């Protein structure tokens, strides 16, 4: 968390893992891919204010600070670490609107409990936009494979560098699964507990291992 000295607002600086930009050429290419989304934002999408490379190799992005708590923190404050569908629905509607603010052909890349922030009025900000979507696929895949919990939250195609909008839908499915069950993300294509009913049926479609088996939008889930 930092203060922007140009306008005195509070911002967040996200520093990419050195593994994602091991040399100057990789860092410059990474920054170039991020450059086209600078300024993209929406009522529920916390956009990228700036991207730069520190000392030749360390890429960082700057985004507006989001108010209040992440959805992950909100769930941790609950005895059962979960919420019901009625509570989750307005949050998911706003997450959908955040994704709709992404430019054509670009996806958010990191829809996770830790990136969804909800203020005291129930307004949602989806943070962390575009950084991992622009990351070099091979080192990103290496990092995700080393962290099993994290890997499950990303669509399988992220590991092969061909992720598109459908990867965000997969991530929304995993987010809904975690919020409604209090459990960690499941393996792609796994069965969903029957107690989730019709909502669970739609989550199961979203977390299909192959992107072609997923719905083309979040409308059925909502």
């Amino acid at each position: 968390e930092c203060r922007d000295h140009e306008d005195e607002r509070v911002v967040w600086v996200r520093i990419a893992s050195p593994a994602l930009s091991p040399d100057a050429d990789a860092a410059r290419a990474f920054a170039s891919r991020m450059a086209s989304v600078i300024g993209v934002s929406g009522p529920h999408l916390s956009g990228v204010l700036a991207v730069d490379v520190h000392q030749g190799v360390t890429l960082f992005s700057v985004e507006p600070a989001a108010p209040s708590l992440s959805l992950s923190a909100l769930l941790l404050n609950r005895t059962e670490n979960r919420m019901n569908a009625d509570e989750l629905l307005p949050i998911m509607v706003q997450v959908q609107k955040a994704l709709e603010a992404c430019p054509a052909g670009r996806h958010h890349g990191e829809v996770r409990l830790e990136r969804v922030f909800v203020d005291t009025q129930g307004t949602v900000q989806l943070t962390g936009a575009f950084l991992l979507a622009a990351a070099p696929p091979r080192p990103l895949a290496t990092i995700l494979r080393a962290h099993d919990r994290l890997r499950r939250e990303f669509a399988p195609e992220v590991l092969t560098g061909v992720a598109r909008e459908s990867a965000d839908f997969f991530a929304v499915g995993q987010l809904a699964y975690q919020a409604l069950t209090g459990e960690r993300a499941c393996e792609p294509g796994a069965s969903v507990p029957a107690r989730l009913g019709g909502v669970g049926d739609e989550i199961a479609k979203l977390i299909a291992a192959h992107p072609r088996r997923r719905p083309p939008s979040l409308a059925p889930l909502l």
Side-chain angles (χ1 to χ4, degrees), residues 26-38:
R28 283 194 296 269
F30 195 168
S32 178
R33 289 190 293 273
M34 287 284 290
S36 63
V37 294
I38 293 174

Side-chain angles (χ1 to χ4, degrees), residues 9 36 56-57 94 99 109 114 118 134-135 144 155 164 211:
R9 65 176 156 176
S36 63
V57 294
Q94 293 175 79
L99 295 180
E114 288 84 355
V118 186
L144 293 179
R164 297 293 183 270

Side-chain angles (χ1 to χ4, degrees), residues 94-110:
Q94 293 175 79
V95 168
Q96 180 195 38
K97 292 179 179 177
L99 295 180
E100 289 172 348
C102 296
R106 301 298 294 263
H107 65 291
H108 183 281
E110 198 181 356

Side-chain angles (χ1 to χ4, degrees), residues 1-22:
E1 185 173 273
C2 305
R3 186 172 298 280
D4 188 327
H5 291 291
E6 291 185 354
D7 55 18
E8 293 301 309
R9 65 176 156 176
V10 177
V11 297
W12 289 343
V13 175
R14 299 190 72 206
I15 303 172
S17 166
L20 292 177
S21 53

Side-chain angles (χ1 to χ4, degrees), residues 68 94 118-124:
S68 199
Q94 293 175 79
V118 186
D119 69 16
T120 54
Q121 305 301 314
T123 302
V124 169

Side-chain angles (χ1 to χ4, degrees), residues 110-144:
E110 198 181 356
V111 184
R112 303 170 50 230
L113 294 174
E114 288 84 355
R115 301 290 174 247
V116 177
F117 281 74
V118 186
D119 69 16
T120 54
Q121 305 301 314
T123 302
V124 169
Q125 282 288 315
L126 179 57
T127 68
F130 309 121
L131 190 143
L132 288 190
R138 188 170 297 176
L140 177 59
T142 300
I143 291 172
L144 293 179

Side-chain angles (χ1 to χ4, degrees), residues 65-115:
S68 199
L69 296 175
S70 69
L71 189 52
S72 175
L74 289 172
L75 291 170
L76 283 174
N77 288 335
R78 295 180 172 222
T79 304
E80 297 182 336
N81 298 336
R82 60 185 174 90
M83 58 178 53
N84 62 46
D86 288 339
E87 293 175 287
L88 185 60
L89 177 58
I91 295 173
M92 300 299 278
V93 168
Q94 293 175 79
V95 168
Q96 180 195 38
K97 292 179 179 177
L99 295 180
E100 289 172 348
C102 296
R106 301 298 294 263
H107 65 291
H108 183 281
E110 198 181 356
V111 184
R112 303 170 50 230
L113 294 174
E114 288 84 355
R115 301 290 174 247

